[in-house]
Amino acid sequence: MEEIQFNHTLPIQLRFNDVDKFGHVNNTVYFSFYDLGKTEYFASVCPDVDWEKDGIVVVHIEANFLAQIYGSDHIAVQTAVTEIGTKSFHLAQRVIDTETQEIKCICTSVMVTFDLEKHESKPLEEEWIQAICKYEGRDLRKKK
């Protein structure tokens, strides 16, 4: 994941209930961090999306936990789109310690665009594709 350039970083404020009885952030909480990162990424990159009509759903998610996070740590979640298909796209995310830059966890997921009125997947809007490619600084369309 080192070759991925992360242009989107969101600082995360740890909450008291994020920490378990062992003194570290529970592994289930990381997925909340990744959700926050996704939400902020798309709010900034594709601000004109009508979220009442269009949705993005997770169809696959995978995480590798590399180091513990403690309640006193300062962390951020970084998000990047790495590949765009017709109806889906791939996300890479990681949680880092903002003071040491240590990578605490990495996550990859496959997201699908979803028509909330028809309850079915739908092709990505061309304006989304263009906005994401512009933000990421390269063409991310899947090569056929």
Side-chain angles (χ1 to χ4, degrees), residues 8-9 16 30 38 44 48 60 67 86 115 120 137-138 141:
H8 191 274
T9 300
F16 177 80
Y30 288 70
K38 289 176 203 135
S44 61
D48 298 325
H60 179 80
T86 305
D115 185 316
E120 60 186 29
R138 59 194 168 94
R141 291 174 183 94

Side-chain angles (χ1 to χ4, degrees), residues 3 5 10-11 31 33 39 45 51 53 65 67 69 73 76 78 80 91 102-103 113 117 119 122-123 125:
E3 70 278 357
Q5 180 178 337
L10 177 69
F31 294 98
F33 301 158
T39 301
V45 175
W51 297 112
K53 186 178 79 155
F65 302 93
I69 297 174
D73 290 347
Q78 297 181 312
L91 275 181
E102 179 184 18
I103 300 169
T113 48
E117 293 170 350
H119 300 282
K122 64 178 245 167
E125 302 284 340

Side-chain angles (χ1 to χ4, degrees), residues 63-76:
N64 290 323
F65 302 93
L66 306 173
Q68 296 181 62
I69 297 174
Y70 296 95
S72 60
D73 290 347
H74 296 92
I75 62 165

